[in-house]
Each structure stands twice: as C-alpha cells, then as structure tokens.
Amino acid sequence: MQIKRYETKNMQEALTRIRRDLGPDAIILSTKQIAGDPPLIEVLAARDVVAERPAPAAPPAPPASDAPLSRMAKEIQGLKSSIDLLTRRFSYPCNLPDLMETMSLLLDKGSASNPNHLQDLFIRLISGGISHPMAVRLIEGIKGGYPCEDRDTDEKCSLIAEKLIARSLAVDGRKERRIKAFIGPTGIGKTTTLAKLAAHYSLEKKMKVGLITTDTYRIAAAEQLKVYGKIMGLPVHVAAEKDVFLKALTDFSGKDVILVDTPGRNHQDDRCLNGLNNLLQTGDVEAVLLMSPIANKEYLLEAA
C-alpha cells in the first residue's frame, strides 16, 4: 500500500492532489485540522499497489449494440467512486456549505467525465470565484466550440476560457457622460486609474481634459494628481467643498472630459458617503465604482 500525507488549505485542494498523485481509486485514511495562520487540513491518503501480472488476453469487442450500455456502466462506476470518496469525508467535522460545495464538485457529471486537464480547469475556475453553473457552461463551451487539437492541453483550454469569460461580460450601452467621478474603497487605485484614462483621452483621443480631486483627507493625494497633471499638461483643481467643486466645473466648461478623483471610503461609513453623494449630485456626473478583482463575492456585493 502506498501512503501519502498532504497539508492543504481546504478539502478541494486535497482531493485534487490526491487524485493527481494516487489516482481515482485512492482512499482517505484520516483527516485532521492543523492549527496555524491560516489553519490547514492534514490528510492521509493511500492506494493499493498491485504487483504487475501478465496482461490477459484482450476480450472480444462487444457488439455495437452494447456500446451505450458500456458507456453507462463506466459512468456509473465513476459516480460510485465519487460517492465513496465523498462518504469518507464524513469522518471529520466540516460545515454544511463546504460539504455542499464539495458534493457538487465531486458529483458533477461534466467534471467527472472530462479529460484531466479540463477537470483541473473546472476546479481552478470554481476556486477562483466562478460560480458552479458558469464553470460548467465554460467547460461545455470549450468542448463544443473548439476542435480537440485546439483544446488538448491545459494552457490552450485556459486561454479559451479567458476569451469566453471576456466575451460573456455585459457591455454597457449607455451614452458616455462628460463628467466622471471615480469612487471606491481606500487603496483600490482610483487616482492611478484616473491618470491612465486622462492619458487615454488627451494623448490618444486628442480630447480636452480637466482633472478635479476632492481628496483632501489622504496625505499628498492632491499633490499626486497634480504631478500626473503636470506630466500630461492637464489642469488640476482641488475641490473638497461643494461650492469649490461647482466653480471647478464652471472653469472646465470648455473641456471635453472632466475626471473627478474622490477620497477612499469604507462602504459602512454612512456619514462620509452621504457627504460624497451630496457633492456628486451636482450636474450630470457619472459615478464609476472601482472594486478589487481579487476580493471575494460576498465583500464585492456588500461594498457595491
């Protein structure tokens, strides 16, 4: 018997590594929590090592009519292995959401019947925050929309998945507004994003651009935007109060685009957010929310 020990962040990672190292017939001997920051899971897994025997004579090919039954038997056997592996998980305590997510992963027919590199991609998509139905659609889209030679490796399938995800993003068909205010949590990159867009509008589109910052809370925030403005030859106004902000908009009345930087705010700070809302409810201002692409779904929904 071959026994291996794993330390992983979660059970999904352990199952992936066990399947890769020991094969689908491996069994889990024990699991336990390891204290630490972050806490880990220790998993002992094993598989029987069978001595090599002379290969038996190949059985006669089944009649063509038995082919569907043969495929069905193979799928049932794979499903039984998944259920056995899931059953052994009950030997250690786990919370219900984690159990339900692992059950969906193990019993997913599309995942279990795919080549190994597509199964690994499926697990990576879910681990990266892609919903289970979306991950299934992406895998099916790769299988159904591309020839085998275009999706025969992990790298090729990952590139295809990236294209499909980009293609699935909704395109905002609303008319672009002249005044754009960038809002979001502290440190999300509002000032940097604003500077990049200012360069895009002024240098590539040859548009007249004005910059306004309402951020007088963060040290040197206004100076940072002034440096960007000086490099690109764009005027910058500092306007923390509403009357100053209105004057800045008037001064930039001849500009094609006005980009407004705002201070970072915690999404639970109602007082400051109400003040920011009052400031931006002036004229035809488009509020652009910036969020972190690596934050989890719950945080993104709450902050939005």
Side-chain angles (χ1 to χ4, degrees), residues 3-75:
I3 300 177
K4 296 196 69 173
R5 176 178 175 272
Y6 299 85
E7 289 185 6
T8 60
K9 296 179 181 178
N10 51 59
M11 199 61 190
Q12 287 185 7
E13 181 182 348
L15 294 175
T16 302
R17 293 174 60 184
I18 291 170
R19 185 181 62 189
R20 182 185 62 211
D21 297 345
L22 302 179
D25 296 328
I27 62 172
I28 295 177
L29 300 178
S30 66
T31 59
K32 69 177 182 179
Q33 299 286 340
I34 302 176
D37 186 20
L40 300 176
I41 299 175
E42 179 189 272
V43 182
L44 286 181
R47 70 169 177 180
D48 288 328
V49 180
V50 182
E52 293 186 3
R53 299 177 181 176
S65 59
D66 291 342
L69 292 177
S70 176
R71 288 197 300 269
M72 182 181 296
K74 187 176 180 180
E75 290 186 3

Side-chain angles (χ1 to χ4, degrees), residues 15-291:
L15 294 175
T16 302
R17 293 174 60 184
I18 291 170
R19 185 181 62 189
R20 182 185 62 211
D21 297 345
L22 302 179
D25 296 328
I27 62 172
I28 295 177
L29 300 178
S30 66
T31 59
K32 69 177 182 179
Q33 299 286 340
I34 302 176
D37 186 20
L40 300 176
I41 299 175
E42 179 189 272
V43 182
L44 286 181
R47 70 169 177 180
D48 288 328
V49 180
V50 182
E52 293 186 3
R53 299 177 181 176
S65 59
D66 291 342
L69 292 177
S70 176
R71 288 197 300 269
M72 182 181 296
K74 187 176 180 180
E75 290 186 3
I76 292 175
Q77 184 60 40
L79 188 59
K80 287 175 61 179
S81 298
S82 298
I83 294 174
D84 290 341
L85 189 58
L86 180 64
T87 302
R88 288 191 287 272
R89 285 205 57 205
F90 285 103
S91 61
Y92 81 99
C94 62
N95 58 46
L96 184 58
D98 183 40
L99 176 62
M100 292 177 63
E101 184 176 356
T102 304
M103 183 184 296
S104 297
L105 182 63
L106 286 175
L107 301 183
D108 183 83
K109 178 177 179 296
S111 174
S113 61
N114 286 332
N116 287 338
H117 64 279
L118 277 178
Q119 294 183 36
D120 291 339
L121 176 60
F122 178 80
I123 293 173
R124 289 209 317 273
L125 289 170
I126 292 180
S127 301
I130 300 295
S131 69
H132 184 275
M134 180 64 174
V136 172
R137 288 198 297 271
L138 287 171
I139 296 298
E140 293 303 317
I142 293 173
K143 290 167 56 181
Y146 297 86
C148 289
E149 61 270 18
D150 292 343
R151 52 178 173 86
D152 56 1
T153 66
D154 181 77
E155 183 178 4
K156 291 179 181 179
C157 287
S158 297
L159 291 174
I160 294 174
E162 182 179 341
K163 293 178 182 178
L164 293 177
I165 292 172
R167 196 181 302 166
S168 69
L169 298 177
V171 177
D172 191 345
R174 294 177 300 177
K175 182 179 179 181
E176 189 174 0
R177 298 190 189 180
R178 174 172 163 267
I179 308 171
K180 304 177 185 297
F182 297 88
I183 63 175
T186 302
I188 206 68
K190 295 183 294 297
T191 305
T192 305
T193 301
L194 182 148
K196 291 179 180 180
L197 286 175
H200 169 72
Y201 285 122
S202 62
L203 302 179
E204 296 183 24
K205 290 196 170 184
K206 307 301 180 183
M207 300 173 70
K208 298 177 182 178
V209 179
L211 307 180
I212 301 175
T213 177
T214 65
D215 187 0
T216 57
Y217 299 90
R218 187 165 54 92
I219 297 175
E223 295 303 320
Q224 180 184 3
L225 190 61
K226 287 181 179 179
V227 169
Y228 287 139
K230 184 176 181 180
I231 293 173
M232 294 181 284
L234 302 176
V236 178
H237 281 359
V238 180
E241 303 297 332
K242 187 169 184 177
D243 55 343
V244 183
F245 182 70
L246 290 172
K247 184 177 185 307
L249 293 180
T250 302
D251 292 343
F252 286 155
S253 59
K255 302 298 183 183
D256 300 315
V257 177
I258 302 173
L259 304 179
V260 182
D261 194 16
T262 67
R265 283 289 175 258
N266 186 300
H267 59 275
Q268 296 177 340
D269 190 343
D270 292 336
R271 184 181 63 84
C272 292
L273 289 178
N274 287 333
L276 180 61
N277 182 61
N278 181 57
L279 181 69
L280 298 181
Q281 292 295 327
T282 305
D284 192 22
V285 179
E286 177 184 6
V288 181
L289 174 63
L290 273 65
M291 302 293 290

